[in-house]
Amino acid sequence: LHFPKGVHRENAGKYNCQASNQHGFKQIFTEIDVLYKPECFIHKLIRNDKVILKCEATGNPGNISYGWRKDNLTILSGVTFGENSSRLERRLERGSEGMYYCEGRNSVGLGIPCVINVRVPGPSYAFLPSSDTIVTLVVSCVLVLIITVSVTAVACRRWNKKSKEYCVS
């Protein structure tokens, strides 16, 4: 059995080697178990006032331990462990925003941490007008008001001259 590019996890499995000639037949079985560090993925769920992060990892051997970090600090509170996963729950508030890292470790070693960015949803500032737009709107409103008052005053004076009555507006 020869692997010219080395043994990779895709090569794991059961193999059968057979040989035969005029003297008979022989066969042997072997199994290749490829060990590798955990590889993880984080799922994010926002429910009511909480953000829930679930880290799942695959590795061989599968006995994986998990660790969480945020801002280079280890997180211990709010962490639960399941089969091949770890879950982190946080209150959804400004202090919970940031980059969260999940690390999986097995007997082969520490896998590459997976990362997710948590942002607290809030008012969308993308649709607020710029300060230039606000100034333009205010100036436009003032101009419309001045023009309306001027037109009303001129119309009222003309009406007053004809009817000799006061115009109230």
Side-chain angles (χ1 to χ4, degrees):
L1 190 56
H2 177 66
F3 297 100
K5 295 182 180 179
V7 178
H8 299 280
R9 68 182 80 166
E10 301 85 34
N11 303 124
K14 295 181 180 182
Y15 289 85
N16 176 7
C17 180
Q18 300 176 345
S20 64
N21 63 16
Q22 69 270 18
H23 299 289
F25 173 81
K26 199 71 165 164
Q27 93 176 348
I28 190 167
F29 297 93
T30 190
E31 185 171 346
I32 296 178
D33 187 19
V34 180
L35 305 179
Y36 57 96
K37 297 176 186 179
E39 294 177 351
C40 62
F41 181 80
I42 301 175
H43 306 274
K44 176 172 66 174
L45 173 67
I46 294 177
R47 184 181 297 156
N48 300 325
D49 64 340
K50 291 185 179 180
V51 60
I52 301 164
L53 303 177
K54 183 177 182 183
C55 182
E56 294 180 305
T58 57
N60 190 20
N63 188 14
I64 300 170
S65 61
Y66 294 86
W68 288 93
R69 289 184 297 118
K70 178 184 178 272
D71 301 328
N72 261 350
L73 298 174
T74 301
I75 301 171
L76 299 173
S77 66
V79 177
T80 56
F81 301 97
E83 190 175 325
N84 296 324
S85 69
S86 176
R87 187 172 143 149
L88 173 64
E89 248 182 72
R90 286 285 198 236
R91 288 191 50 78
L92 199 56
E93 53 195 15
R94 292 286 171 214
S96 61
E97 284 188 321
M99 303 297 278
Y100 286 81
Y101 298 85
C102 175
E103 301 170 324
R105 176 187 297 273
N106 63 11
S107 61
V108 179
L110 181 66
I112 296 171
C114 46
V115 63
I116 194 164
N117 187 17
V118 172
R119 298 193 58 185
V120 175
S124 175
Y125 298 104
F127 299 108
L128 290 179
S130 67
S131 59
D132 292 341
T133 305
I134 292 172
V135 169
T136 304
L137 286 172
V138 169
V139 169
S140 298
C141 289
V142 169
L143 287 173
V144 167
L145 183 63
I146 290 171
I147 292 169
T148 304
V149 169
S150 299
V151 168
T152 304
V154 169
C156 202
R157 281 192 185 152
R158 286 186 184 162
W159 185 69
N160 280 344
K161 287 181 183 179
K162 289 180 184 177
S163 66
K164 305 289 187 206
E165 294 179 14
Y166 290 103
C167 181
V168 180
S169 40

